[in-house]
Amino acid sequence: MIEKNEEYVLDIVDQGYEGEGIGKVNGTFPVFVEGALKGEKVRVLIVKTKKNFAYGKLLDIIVRSPERTRPACKISKKCGGCTLQHSSYKGQLDFKWDRVKDCVKKIGKLDPEIVKYPIGMDEPWRYRNKVQLPVGMVKGKLHIGFFEPRSHNIVDMDSCLIQDEVADQVVKLIRDWMFDYKIKPYIRDGKYDENGVVRHIMIRRGFKTNEIMVVIVTNGEKLPYADELVDVLLDNVRGLASVIQNVNSEKTNVILGRKNINLWGDDTISDYIGDFKFNISPQSFFQVNPVQTEVLYGKALEFAELTGNETVFDAYCGTGTITLFLSEKAKKVYGVEIVSGAIKNAKINAEENNVKNAEFILGESEVEIPKLINKGVKADVVVVDPPRKGCEKALLDAITKIDAKRIVYVSCDPSTLARDLQILEEQGYKTVEIQPVDMFPQTSHIENVALLVKDQRGKEK
């Protein structure tokens, strides 16, 4: 039995789902080591023990992986956002490929050979079009940055290498404005200050339109020196289109409140995915990596194999981004979503893009899709893009009763994807291919799009 505060030399034989290295004491007892890479020999200090595993702190790298690189960001170890920055980009893609294959094999009980190599980015930096930053006072110094993992300690940031460069510029301008006019932040040494004003900063950019939105999240409607803030942003931020004050007076970890006050410019900015234009408000959901989103949706459309004669169900349709892509080549698309604001945005997006063959329905997909079936609507293709927890079992049951020829499953979590693929396989579908798409370079996250077809083997018997 290993003990806390003991040191061990370990061979890192694998990596966990968050990218942490895994070594084994005596070849059997796993130790998770953050910052270690597969193939390395490392010296670690045991910092926490459980019944069946332990956590180790990386002390020294005895044998280095050829994929190890020096993190480009000086706060990467503190912030915890980019858990794979110490690996080459090829090493990151290899890890994500292995992760998806492992889930497919162990959870889905499927052949891992169906998983294709991830589609990566030519330039895996500065890809995010939105940043949300907490603002607080830490030991008398203003910090604008990111929360440390599992804490309310703010890591101060002057540049984030996965955010758009304009965000760095805006953060500096707001930092100087708060200092010059003595604007109090809402967080002070990890606790809420009811007399504080600024809670968060959000910056959004349309990659294809170059329109910039700056959102100041405040603890109340009063925002001192708001005009001065607008002036400094106008003087320095090229492409500025919108300055919004969002009011959130609740004692909550939720970043945005319900009320927006327009300080200057438009209420929304716009951007494009493919040929489709989308209006983006402070509360709008919009994929944070628009370059790879186009790749992901293009693959989903390819898997759907639409000819113009098909009816498509799009479950968990959100604001209708995939729905609009499908509408180009489908006869009719029904998008279903439980979030009322998302459905409202989806209808606006369809109208803005003059899409006439998409219908959006508010409600639970597992309830509304059977209603469509009972009305005589039959889908040839079903597309699902569920949240991280995967599809509800009731929805999977409803999908299989549709008897659609093809299912296209878009997933942000390989584990729940594999679980749901196994369920669909048991109910008469065959998983043909899974294509990972790297939407989040430098992190452990990976998106996937899977193609399933109606298994004809049962009918042939």
Side-chain angles (χ1 to χ4, degrees):
M1 181 66 182
I2 68 172
E3 299 289 339
K4 184 177 178 180
N5 296 325
E6 288 184 346
E7 291 186 13
Y8 288 89
V9 173
L10 300 176
D11 291 319
I12 302 300
V13 296
D14 206 348
Q15 284 180 256
Y17 286 174
E18 298 299 322
E20 68 277 31
I22 302 175
K24 294 186 177 180
V25 175
N26 299 325
T28 58
F29 193 85
V31 179
F32 293 86
V33 185
E34 186 176 332
L37 295 174
K38 186 177 178 179
E40 294 186 325
K41 184 185 287 291
V42 299
R43 186 165 59 89
V44 304
L45 175 70
I46 302 300
V47 294
K48 190 175 183 179
T49 60
K50 296 284 188 178
K51 183 179 179 180
N52 297 315
F53 61 91
Y55 294 99
K57 179 182 179 181
L58 181 62
L59 298 177
D60 186 30
I61 302 171
I62 299 168
V63 177
R64 301 171 69 88
S65 164
E67 302 302 334
R68 178 169 288 278
T69 62
R70 183 185 295 275
C73 174
K74 63 184 180 181
I75 63 169
S76 63
K77 291 183 179 180
K78 292 182 180 180
C79 140
C82 296
T83 55
L84 292 179
Q85 213 180 103
H86 57 290
S87 170
S88 71
Y89 191 47
K90 179 185 180 301
Q92 293 179 31
L93 294 178
D94 287 346
F95 156 71
K96 294 179 183 187
W97 191 31
D98 287 342
R99 180 188 171 194
V100 178
K101 288 191 293 183
D102 187 63
C103 289
V104 164
K105 181 179 179 180
K106 292 180 179 178
I107 301 173
K109 312 301 181 186
L110 300 172
D111 184 354
E113 293 299 316
I114 63 175
V115 182
K116 305 303 180 184
Y117 194 77
I119 300 174
M121 299 189 72
D122 294 334
E123 181 55 53
W125 302 98
R126 300 291 187 184
Y127 60 83
R128 288 182 62 95
N129 59 13
K130 182 180 81 169
V131 58
Q132 299 175 133
L133 303 167
V135 182
M137 196 68 72
V138 180
K139 296 180 180 179
K141 183 181 178 183
L142 180 64
H143 280 206
I144 303 175
F146 302 99
F147 288 124
E148 287 183 25
R150 299 172 294 278
S151 84
H152 278 92
N153 299 324
I154 300 174
V155 180
D156 201 27
M157 183 273 296
D158 55 24
S159 180
C160 176
L161 300 180
I162 63 172
Q163 311 289 353
D164 190 80
E165 287 177 296
V166 74
D168 297 344
Q169 180 190 13
V170 171
V171 168
K172 183 180 185 308
L173 293 170
I174 293 178
R175 189 192 302 273
D176 291 344
W177 166 78
M178 291 185 67
F179 180 82
D180 290 343
Y181 294 99
K182 296 180 173 56
I183 308 297
K184 292 182 178 180
Y186 181 61
I187 298 174
R188 183 177 296 273
D189 294 322
K191 297 181 180 180
Y192 295 144
D193 179 358
E194 292 185 0
N195 296 317
V197 177
V198 180
R199 298 174 63 128
H200 277 80
I201 300 165
M202 176 194 285
I203 303 130
R204 307 189 78 151
R205 178 192 162 208
F207 269 35
K208 291 188 177 179
T209 62
N210 285 316
E211 295 175 354
I212 307 299
M213 171 184 284
V214 177
V215 181
I216 304 291
V217 184
T218 60
N219 186 36
E221 293 191 16
K222 185 178 180 181
L223 179 59
Y225 301 102
D227 291 341
E228 285 78 359
L229 172 62
V230 171
D231 287 344
V232 75
L233 292 172
L234 281 169
D235 288 344
N236 292 279
V237 181
R238 180 177 297 179
L240 186 70
S242 175
V243 183
I244 302 291
Q245 177 190 355
N246 176 267
V247 181
N248 184 0
S249 301
E250 302 293 326
K251 291 184 178 180
T252 174
N253 291 329
V254 176
I255 293 174
L256 295 177
R258 296 181 179 180
K259 184 173 183 178
N260 293 323
I261 300 172
N262 188 314
L263 300 179
W264 180 86
D266 298 322
D267 293 332
T268 63
I269 60 172
S270 61
D271 203 4
Y272 287 82
I273 300 178
D275 294 329
F276 293 102
K277 179 183 178 182
F278 296 91
N279 292 322
I280 306 166
S281 70
Q283 284 91 350
S284 292
F285 172 79
F286 193 70
Q287 292 280 9
V288 298
N289 185 337
V291 174
Q292 290 294 83
T293 296
E294 199 162 327
V295 173
L296 182 75
Y297 290 178
K299 181 58 68 172
L301 188 60
E302 175 190 323
F303 281 176
E305 287 192 6
L306 301 175
T307 64
N309 298 314
E310 294 84 3
T311 298
V312 182
F313 290 164
D314 181 11
Y316 306 102
C317 72
T319 57
T321 47
I322 294 182
T323 319
L324 297 190
F325 260 67
L326 297 167
S327 72
E328 273 194 304
K329 296 188 177 181
K331 180 181 179 181
K332 178 80 174 184
V333 186
Y334 294 88
V336 185
E337 171 61 51
I338 194 172
V339 179
S340 60
I343 282 290
K344 181 180 178 181
N345 285 338
K347 291 178 178 178
I348 293 171
N349 289 333
E351 186 176 344
E352 284 269 337
N353 290 280
N354 199 31
V355 173
K356 306 294 187 183
N357 62 333
E359 182 177 331
F360 294 99
I361 300 167
L362 175 63
E364 296 177 337
S365 294
E366 58 269 27
V367 174
E368 298 302 327
I369 285 178
K371 286 182 181 178
L372 287 171
I373 298 170
N374 291 335
K375 291 178 182 178
V377 180
K378 185 181 184 303
D380 303 288
V381 179
V382 177
V383 177
V384 294
D385 184 7
R388 189 167 297 278
K389 66 178 182 178
C391 290
E392 295 291 338
K393 179 66 164 53
L395 176 61
L396 295 178
D397 291 341
I399 287 173
T400 54
K401 290 175 182 175
I402 294 170
D403 205 34
K405 297 175 184 177
R406 310 172 79 81
I407 298 173
V408 180
Y409 193 134
V410 180
S411 169
C412 60
D413 188 283
S415 299
T416 54
L417 169 65
R419 179 201 69 199
D420 290 350
L421 292 181
Q422 184 186 32
I423 293 171
L424 290 168
E425 289 257 344
E426 291 171 350
Q427 298 191 31
Y429 281 87
K430 179 178 175 57
T431 308
V432 177
E433 182 178 330
I434 302 172
Q435 177 61 68
V437 178
D438 190 21
M439 300 273 282
F440 310 103
Q442 317 307 325
T443 80
S444 61
H445 302 295
I446 183 71
E447 293 270 338
N448 293 276
V449 55
L451 168 63
L452 300 95
V453 299
K454 190 68 178 176
D455 195 342
Q456 299 297 321
R457 289 173 297 183
K459 295 184 178 182
E460 293 169 358
K461 292 180 180 179

